[in-house]
Structure formats: structure tokens, C-alpha cells
Amino acid sequence: MHNYLTPNFSFAPMLPIRAEGSHVWDDNGQEYIDLAGGIAVNALGHCHPLLINALMEQAHKLWHISNIYTTQPAQNLAERLVKHTFAEQVFFCNSGAEANEAAFKLARKYARDHFPDTGKHEIIACINGFHGRTLFTVSVGGQPKYSNDFAPLPAGIRHIPFNDVAAIDAAVNDKTCAVVIEPIQGESGVLPVTEAFLQAARRACDRHQALLILDEVQTGMGRTGKLFAHQYYDIRPDIVSAAKALGCGIPIGAMLTTEAVGRSFTPGSHGSTFGGNPLACAVGCAAFDIINTPETLQNVLRQGEKLKEGLQELSAASGVFAQVRGQGLLLGCVMSDNYNGRAAQLMQLALQHGLLVLVAGNNVLRFAPSLLLTDADLQTGLQRLKAAIKAFVHI
Ligand SMILES: *Cc1c(COP(=O)(O)O)cnc(C)c1O
């Protein structure tokens, strides 16, 4: 097939046609178990009937009207996010990068509003962090290979080692407007934050009147077994970004914040044509009402535990993984020394064996399946991975 798209993506050698739950079919009728979940987006599997209903119902009412008006679906979704988190206000956009872009812009503006002419604009971020692909967010991200080619980059950004308490204490000062942290570094290897690091960040921000931003684009919306991953800790962020699973496949992002901070987004200071559009928000509400239930969140913990155990068993039997890490249904298998850097090769073999998985960097095989993953699909997925590993170790 001719590829009419720019070559920045390396597409897998199959063409997905349709999907349901944790099953995907390609144009040859081949079936796959999906443990990748569209990169932590399809949190309720594919084509969930209640999401289809919400989409169709809204499609007959109002698709788009612009942010000159507010709409009931936008208010309904914002209300849900506010009622179940630290937040008091929500800004809607269309992606994770845009949610973080809004967060960083708001942090700069908040500092300017409250501490004028003090040069308080620095953003402290983590090495190997990932926050999106706009110029600002890719610069805040801690992987220079993603940003170097686009220099000159925005200034006033500093990177420190992830989970390094001494480094955060040393880096945050009166010039800092914000610290940004992922509760689990997703793209760079499914590496969980330590509570000590989060608490140190909170304390450093409080000492220097800086904002704590948590990027929950990947970890939010039930992925770890709580609505947001930071709810495992006794910590109050100033801003949280969400996207990926928020629309379960309909593009939507959100920046959650407090009233005191959100006030700096004065009329006209920031915007979005599509942000908060009624179709996306109606689906978001339906998704929220399924994700934010004890049944779904318990399934995440239960299946997360079983998936972890299954992966550890495969690891013990084959020696391909050095470690299985992560939380809930965001898991990463670190390749062992003998197979260093070969996660993508194993992912390709999994595909050939009817299994969709992800990588995170070149050394971690990543899993982000449906939060509604069933026992049967989990077992079939593990069997197919076992077959793929068997082929992998014989290469
Ligand atoms: C995926 C991701 C983003 C970027 O989201 P997009 O919707 O691709 O812009 C930002 N931060 C984290 C932690 C992510 O996992």
C-alpha cells in the first residue's frame, strides 16, 4: 500500500479494520489481542456500547459551537473532574501536549501575575520525562533526541534526574515558576516516581512559591487503579494534565487546576477552537462514569496483578526480562542484559503471534490494555506472548 503520510511514524505491517473490546481484526481477517490499548487511550476497550450510545446521542444534538459559548457536555465533564479531584477549574483542549502546553503557559502567567519583574519563569523537569511534541512541551521533556533538531528551543527550562530528592532541593529556587513530574515515566520506560521525590517536590515548590504540575496524561483516568495516580499519595498538586484515556479514543485533553491558579487564565489569555467540544465531552462523561467506579478500578488492580504475575512467570521461564514494573494496568518489562535494546523486536514478534503490545524506549516492553480486560483475553494474550518469546529467544 502506498503511504501518503509523512514518514515520522513507522507503521506496523498490518492494517487494522475493526475492533471490539480487547480484540482487533486486520484487513486479512487476522485477529489480535490488544494489550496496548492504543497507547493507554482505549481504556474501556474498543467500541464500548455505552460510549457509542453517548457519541450517537450527542451527534444528533450538537457537534460544535465554538468557545464563544459553553455547552452542557463540557460543564458536565468538568464537574465530574472537579468533584473527584483536588481541582476547582478545568481547561479543555484536544491532546496531552496541549494540556501540558496550557499548564506551562499558566504557570508562567501565574508567576508573572503574582511576582512581576522577578524573572520567575523557570520550569524544572525530569530527565527522560515526556510531555508531548509541541515545541514548548518537547523542550520541557527530558529526551534531547526529540527536541534537538528543532532548536532554537524555548528558554528557562532545567532538567534534573528523576526521583533525585537532593537534585530537586538544589534546583528549585525563587526563579522557579513550576516543577513538572510524571507519576510514572511512561514513554521512557514505565518508571514509577517515589513518594519521597513527590513530597520533596511539593515542599520545594511551597518554599519558593512555585507550582507543582503532575503530568497524568498516561497515568490518569483509572490506569493505575485510582482515578489519578497521585491519589495514592498524600499530595496536593496545583495543576494536573489529562488526555489519552479521557475520551477513550475521542481526542480530548484537560488541564485541571485550583481557582487561585486558574484565575490567571484571564479572558483571552489562552484558547482552543476545538477544546471542550460537545462530542468529545459527551463521550468523556460516559467514559468517566464507567472508569470511576469501584468495579472498574478493582478490575484494574486485579488484572494488573495477574498480568504482572503472568509476565514474571514468562520472565522466570525464559530469562528475557530483568524486571517487571509499573502499577495497575500500566506495566513495563525491562529486557535482561542478554536481550538489551531489543524490545521492539519482541514487539514485532508478538504482532506476528496475534498480540498488540508497546515499547517504552528501546529496552522496555510496555502494556496498557483495556481497564475492563477479561480473564480470558488476559490468558490468551499471555499465551501469545509466550509463543512470541519462544520465537524471540531462538533468533
Ligand atoms: C502521551 C503523553 C503526552 C502527549 O500526549 P499527546 O496526546 O500525544 O499530545 C504527554 N505526556 C505524557 C505523560 C504522555 O504519556
Side-chain angles (χ1 to χ4, degrees):
M1 192 191 4
H2 184 80
N3 177 24
Y4 291 95
L5 307 188
T6 54
N8 49 312
F9 300 110
S10 310
F11 297 120
M14 62 81 116
L15 191 66
I17 294 287
R18 109 191 137 80
E20 199 183 315
S22 293
H23 299 255
V24 174
W25 289 268
D26 71 14
D27 58 340
N28 293 320
Q30 171 77 44
E31 178 262 354
Y32 302 83
I33 293 286
D34 184 1
L35 297 185
I39 319 188
V41 168
N42 302 314
L44 300 175
H46 296 274
C47 295
H48 192 291
L50 294 180
L51 300 192
I52 294 177
N53 281 351
L55 183 63
M56 297 315 282
E57 210 173 284
Q58 187 60 40
H60 288 286
K61 287 187 194 158
L62 181 70
W63 289 29
H64 178 86
I65 191 73
S66 90
N67 281 312
I68 293 169
Y69 315 90
T70 190
T71 68
Q72 199 60 58
Q75 294 297 334
N76 291 347
L77 182 55
E79 180 184 18
R80 281 163 169 77
L81 289 164
V82 163
K83 287 217 164 127
H84 294 93
T85 67
F86 77 101
E88 293 155 348
Q89 299 184 343
V90 178
F91 168 78
F92 285 123
C93 49
N94 313 287
S95 68
E98 282 175 68
N100 287 325
E101 183 86 19
F104 303 150
K105 283 180 69 177
L106 178 58
R108 288 260 173 98
K109 180 135 192 322
Y110 177 84
R112 192 165 296 235
D113 288 350
H114 293 270
F115 312 94
D117 305 318
T118 57
K120 189 176 182 63
H121 65 245
E122 199 163 68
I123 295 171
I124 309 292
C126 296
I127 293 170
N128 287 329
F130 184 81
H131 303 295
R133 301 293 198 138
T134 64
L135 195 61
F136 196 1
T137 56
V138 85
S139 305
V140 174
Q143 294 186 274
K145 67 173 188 210
Y146 289 148
S147 58
N148 279 343
D149 286 345
F150 306 102
L153 304 176
I157 300 161
R158 245 164 96 187
H159 294 99
I160 60 166
F162 187 57
N163 282 340
D164 186 333
V165 169
I168 204 150
D169 284 335
V172 178
N173 59 41
D174 287 343
K175 302 280 184 217
T176 309
C177 72
V179 171
V180 58
I181 298 171
E182 290 166 86
I184 298 174
Q185 282 193 334
E187 295 306 307
S188 67
V190 192
L191 201 59
V193 75
T194 61
E195 175 153 25
F197 186 67
L198 269 187
Q199 298 292 1
R202 179 70 273 176
R203 280 196 306 273
C205 286
D206 289 343
R207 267 199 307 277
H208 298 282
Q209 290 84 42
L211 302 180
L212 179 61
I213 303 172
L214 299 180
D215 180 346
E216 293 241 27
V217 170
Q218 189 153 161
T219 53
M221 299 313 297
R223 178 58 48 195
T224 66
K226 294 228 187 238
L227 184 61
F228 286 96
H230 76 267
Q231 293 172 334
Y232 276 104
Y233 311 104
D234 179 23
I235 195 146
R236 191 172 189 276
D238 300 293
I239 300 177
V240 164
S241 53
K244 291 202 163 93
L246 187 59
C248 283
I250 299 289
I252 180 170
M255 184 204 66
L256 284 57
T257 191
T258 60
E259 201 269 330
V261 174
R263 207 183 291 147
S264 281
F265 260 179
T266 48
S269 60
H270 191 57
S272 166
T273 293
F274 293 119
N277 102 55
L279 275 183
C281 288
V283 175
C285 285
F288 190 103
D289 291 343
I290 303 169
I291 291 173
N292 194 40
T293 57
E295 296 76 45
T296 302
L297 297 175
Q298 271 158 27
N299 194 61
V300 172
L301 293 177
R302 200 169 67 88
Q303 303 299 44
E305 228 19 74
K306 281 205 298 196
L307 181 55
K308 199 177 214 172
E309 276 168 27
L311 293 170
Q312 275 159 348
E313 275 169 31
L314 290 181
S315 172
S318 67
V320 291
F321 304 133
Q323 190 195 1
V324 182
R325 66 193 181 197
Q327 201 174 17
L329 281 172
L330 181 58
L331 296 177
C333 299
V334 185
M335 304 303 289
S336 61
D337 286 344
N338 286 344
Y339 302 95
N340 193 37
R342 289 173 58 191
Q345 197 180 16
L346 181 50
M347 175 178 73
Q348 276 152 22
L349 278 165
L351 183 74
Q352 289 170 22
H353 287 82
L355 176 65
L356 309 185
V357 292
L358 299 163
V359 293
N362 63 7
N363 209 38
V364 174
L365 198 69
R366 178 172 37 151
F367 300 80
S370 165
L371 308 185
L372 304 178
L373 185 66
T374 64
D375 292 341
D377 292 340
L378 172 55
Q379 290 314 325
T380 310
L382 283 170
Q383 278 158 19
R384 293 182 187 182
L385 182 62
K386 187 177 178 181
I389 289 173
K390 202 170 161 194
F392 178 65
V393 298
H394 283 108
I395 287 175

